[in-house]
Amino acid sequence: MTATTTAPAAGVWGAIWQGVTRSTSGFVGLCLVLSVLAFSFVGPFLVDSHNPTDVTSIWGPISAEHWLGTNHEGKDTFVQLVLGGREPIWVGFVAALITVAIAVVLGGVAGYVRGRVDHFLLQVTDITMTIPFIVLMLVIASFYRTASPLTVSLIIGLVTWPYLMRSIRAQVLTLKEREFVEAARIQDLGTARILFVEVLPNMAGYVFINFIIAVTNAIYAVVGMYLLGLLPSTADNWGLMIQQAWDNNAFLLPRAAPFLIAPMVMIMLFQIGLVTMTRSLEQALNPRLRDR
C-alpha cells in the first residue's frame, strides 16, 4: 500500500533521481556533470578573472604558481580553463532547450492533428534538414564580427530540431490511440488541452533524455565552430583554447601540452558524465528497460 501511494507522488523527478542513483555508472555520471558545472560556474568567483598577461612567462611549465603552466600570452592556463567553461555549457543548454521546445511543439501538433497541418510541418522539417550548418555559420561569421552566446544558441537550436521533431511525431502517433486520449476526446476537452496536458506529459522521460542528448550535440557544435574559427574570439572558451593551441603549434611543445589537453579533458568528462547519466535515466524511465 505504501509503494502504491508514494510512487505517483514521486513522479518523473523521482524516477530521474532513482535512475541516476540505482546504478554506479549513472551516479558517477551525475557526479561528473555536477563537478564540471561547479568548476565552470562557481570556479570563476574563486580565481582572478583578469588573468593578466606575463610576456616573461610564455609557455611556462607547471608550477606551484601556475598549476597548468601558462599559454602563448603568458596567461595562467588553469584560470583560463576555469573561465572557459561557462560559455559552451550555457550555449549547449540554451540551444538544447530551443531544439526540444520546437521539436515538441511541432512534432506534437503534426502527430496529433495530422492532415494538411502534418504535411506542411513535415515539409518545413525536410527543408530545415537540408540547411548546411557549417555553410550557414560561415555566412553569419562573414557578416557579423561579434556573436553573443544567445545568438549562437539560437542558431544551433533553429537548425538542429528536425530530427527530434520526427521522433516526437512518431511517439504522439502511438500515444493518440491510447484509451486515456480517447476518453479525453469523448469529454471534448479540446485539442490543445489533450495534446499538451494529456499526451505530451506522458513523454516527459523521453523528452528529458533527448534534451540531455541535445545538450551534448550543441556543446560539440559550439566547440567545433570555435575550433574552425567560425565564431569570434571575444571571451574565454574551451573551444577557443583548443583553436589557440593549434594556431600556436602547442602540440609541438611539451610544456604547452596542458593548454591543449586540459580543455579537451574537461569537455570529455562533461560529455562522459552526460552520456552515462542518460543511459541510467533511459533504463529508469523506459518501462521496457526498467526491469533489465
Side-chain angles (χ1 to χ4, degrees):
M1 180 67 68
T2 303
T4 305
T5 56
T6 56
V12 176
W13 292 110
I16 290 174
W17 174 251
Q18 191 177 38
V20 297
T21 55
R22 65 183 288 183
S23 67
T24 304
S25 61
F27 184 71
V28 170
L30 176 64
C31 291
L32 280 175
V33 171
L34 293 179
S35 297
V36 175
L37 289 176
F39 182 86
S40 302
F41 288 91
V42 179
F45 294 101
L46 306 177
V47 298
D48 182 9
S49 59
H50 296 90
N51 197 12
T53 299
D54 184 4
V55 294
T56 63
S57 183
I58 294 177
W59 294 129
I62 296 176
S63 63
E65 184 180 0
H66 304 290
W67 293 355
L68 294 176
T70 58
N71 65 359
H72 60 287
E73 296 178 333
K75 293 185 176 182
D76 189 280
T77 298
F78 179 78
V79 173
Q80 195 166 357
L81 185 70
V82 172
L83 299 176
R86 285 181 296 187
E87 185 170 317
I89 294 176
W90 166 255
V91 170
F93 274 94
V94 174
L97 187 62
I98 295 172
T99 297
V100 170
I102 296 175
V104 167
V105 173
L106 297 187
V109 172
Y112 185 81
V113 178
R114 300 300 304 274
R116 293 182 178 179
V117 174
D118 184 27
H119 180 73
F120 172 75
L121 292 177
L122 286 178
Q123 290 294 326
V124 174
T125 302
D126 293 338
I127 293 173
T128 306
M129 291 174 66
T130 62
I131 297 176
F133 182 69
I134 297 298
V135 176
L136 176 63
M137 290 308 305
L138 282 171
V139 172
I140 293 175
S142 64
F143 280 97
Y144 300 98
R145 294 185 178 181
T146 59
S148 66
L150 183 60
T151 303
V152 177
S153 303
L154 185 63
I155 295 170
I156 296 175
L158 291 177
V159 175
T160 56
W161 60 265
Y163 301 98
L164 180 57
M165 180 272 190
R166 286 184 170 273
S167 299
I168 297 293
R169 174 180 174 272
Q171 293 287 326
V172 173
L173 286 174
T174 303
L175 288 174
K176 67 179 293 187
E177 304 300 330
R178 299 285 181 87
E179 292 80 1
F180 67 91
V181 178
E182 290 294 337
R185 288 200 195 98
I186 294 174
Q187 298 178 44
D188 194 21
L189 298 180
T191 301
R193 180 174 178 181
I194 295 175
L195 178 59
F196 292 102
V197 178
E198 302 293 336
V199 178
L200 292 179
N202 283 276
M203 300 168 50
Y206 180 79
V207 171
F208 184 77
I209 290 171
N210 278 277
F211 171 77
I212 295 177
I213 294 174
V215 171
T216 301
N217 295 333
I219 291 176
Y220 276 133
V222 69
V223 171
M225 286 188 290
Y226 270 106
L227 181 59
L228 295 174
L230 299 180
L231 294 176
S233 55
T234 56
D236 292 308
N237 186 291
W238 289 340
L240 181 60
M241 290 178 67
I242 299 174
Q243 180 201 19
Q244 291 175 343
W246 181 266
D247 291 342
N248 290 276
N249 299 320
F251 55 90
L252 298 176
L253 301 173
R255 290 187 302 176
F259 185 69
L260 175 63
I261 296 175
M264 297 172 61
V265 169
M266 294 301 298
I267 295 170
M268 289 172 56
L269 289 176
F270 191 65
Q271 302 291 23
I272 290 173
L274 287 175
V275 170
T276 54
M277 189 175 68
T278 302
R279 288 180 178 176
S280 297
L281 287 175
E282 187 174 9
Q283 290 182 347
L285 299 177
N286 190 334
R288 289 175 294 183
L289 301 176
R290 190 173 298 160
D291 298 327
R292 292 185 180 181

